[in-house]
Amino acid sequence: EDERVLEQQRQKAEREAALEAEKERLRLEKEKELARLRAKQERARDWQAERDALMAKRSQEAADREWRRQELENARRKAVLAERLRQDRLQQVAQKEQYLAMQVEQDRQEFQRVLKVHQEQLEREKLQREQRELQQRAHAEDLRRQIQEMQRQRQRERAACIEERRQQEQEARQRSQRLAQLGQQRLQEFRATGVPDKYCAQVERR
């Protein structure tokens, strides 16, 4: 854009230089024409002098009118160029403002996207943390249940062992009682059959 503005300024400078050269050429031509008219007036000092002066005046007026027309044209061209440059600057400003607005909107959208992603990440992390806590609590509760069940199982096993030992001891006492009763019964049978006492004593000791 800067290069385009510089090119327009360069073209403007060239046009102004061309206009100045044209003005100088016209001025020189005008001076030549005046010099010619004066020379003609000097050569013809007769009844044509008044007519020649009138023609010179008309020529001067025409030259003045042309000069004024050229000045107006140059002023119009300068005004058009200035207006064009002003419009170009306004367009550049508008384009820059539009670009900045687009950039701001893009930055806002990017910020909203990043913020949304961050919030979603926080929500996922919170959900995962809550799930881990639930799993840990469930695992701890399961461990407590297992420990309690193991304690109850050991208590049942100890109770079963105690009951088994009690039954074994009772059975042992009952066997001892039966054996004692059987021994007494055999001794009575031996005595009843007339077996000597020394043999009965041996059997009783056994």
Side-chain angles (χ1 to χ4, degrees):
E1 189 65 22
D2 292 338
E3 291 177 357
R4 186 173 69 82
V5 172
L6 291 174
E7 179 62 22
Q8 291 176 353
Q9 293 176 351
R10 187 185 63 78
Q11 293 178 0
K12 175 185 174 182
E14 291 178 354
R15 288 194 295 270
E16 290 177 352
L19 290 174
E20 292 294 332
E22 180 66 17
K23 287 168 61 177
E24 182 66 18
R25 185 185 66 80
L26 292 174
R27 188 182 65 79
L28 293 175
E29 289 179 358
K30 183 173 66 175
E31 290 178 356
K32 290 179 180 180
E33 180 66 18
L34 291 174
R36 186 183 66 80
L37 291 174
R38 284 193 295 270
K40 184 176 180 181
Q41 289 175 358
E42 291 175 357
R43 289 192 302 269
R45 297 178 181 277
D46 52 10
W47 60 271
Q48 294 289 336
E50 185 177 354
R51 182 180 178 184
D52 292 340
L54 180 61
M55 291 179 62
K57 181 179 179 181
R58 290 177 179 176
S59 179
Q60 179 65 37
E61 290 176 352
D64 292 339
R65 287 194 298 272
E66 179 64 20
W67 179 82
R68 287 192 298 272
R69 185 190 67 79
Q70 290 181 358
E71 288 295 323
L72 290 174
E73 181 65 20
N74 291 336
R76 186 188 67 79
R77 290 177 181 177
K78 290 180 179 179
V80 170
L81 180 59
E83 178 64 19
R84 186 177 302 168
L85 291 175
R86 188 181 70 84
Q87 293 294 333
D88 291 340
R89 285 194 295 271
L90 291 176
Q91 184 177 3
Q92 291 175 7
V93 171
Q95 290 176 353
K96 186 175 182 179
E97 291 178 350
Q98 183 179 5
Y99 171 77
L100 291 176
M102 291 174 59
Q103 188 66 35
V104 169
E105 180 63 22
Q106 290 177 357
D107 293 341
R108 188 189 65 80
Q109 293 179 358
E110 180 65 17
F111 174 77
Q112 292 294 333
R113 186 188 67 79
V114 172
L115 180 61
K116 182 178 179 181
V117 171
H118 180 65
Q119 290 176 346
E120 291 176 351
Q121 179 66 25
L122 291 178
E123 289 294 331
R124 285 195 298 271
E125 291 177 355
K126 180 180 178 182
L127 180 60
Q128 292 174 359
R129 185 168 58 253
E130 291 176 352
Q131 290 177 351
R132 286 195 300 270
E133 290 176 355
L134 289 174
Q135 291 175 356
Q136 290 174 356
R137 286 197 293 268
H139 182 64
E141 184 65 25
D142 186 57
L143 287 176
R144 283 193 294 271
R145 285 196 299 270
Q146 291 179 6
I147 291 171
Q148 291 174 357
E149 180 63 27
M150 291 174 64
Q151 290 176 349
R152 288 193 292 270
Q153 180 65 25
R154 285 196 293 269
Q155 290 174 358
R156 288 194 294 271
E157 290 176 354
R158 284 196 298 271
C161 290
I162 292 172
E163 179 64 23
E164 183 178 1
R165 284 196 299 272
R166 188 187 64 79
Q167 290 179 359
Q168 290 176 355
E169 290 174 355
Q170 184 178 1
E171 290 175 356
R173 285 194 299 271
Q174 290 175 357
R175 283 196 300 272
S176 297
Q177 290 175 0
R178 286 197 298 271
L179 289 174
Q181 291 175 359
L182 181 60
Q184 292 296 326
Q185 184 179 357
R186 292 294 177 85
L187 285 174
Q188 291 175 3
E189 290 176 356
F190 286 157
R191 288 191 180 97
T193 55
V195 175
D197 291 336
K198 64 177 183 180
Y199 294 113
C200 291
Q202 293 178 359
V203 171
E204 186 176 5
R205 285 195 300 271
R206 291 180 182 177

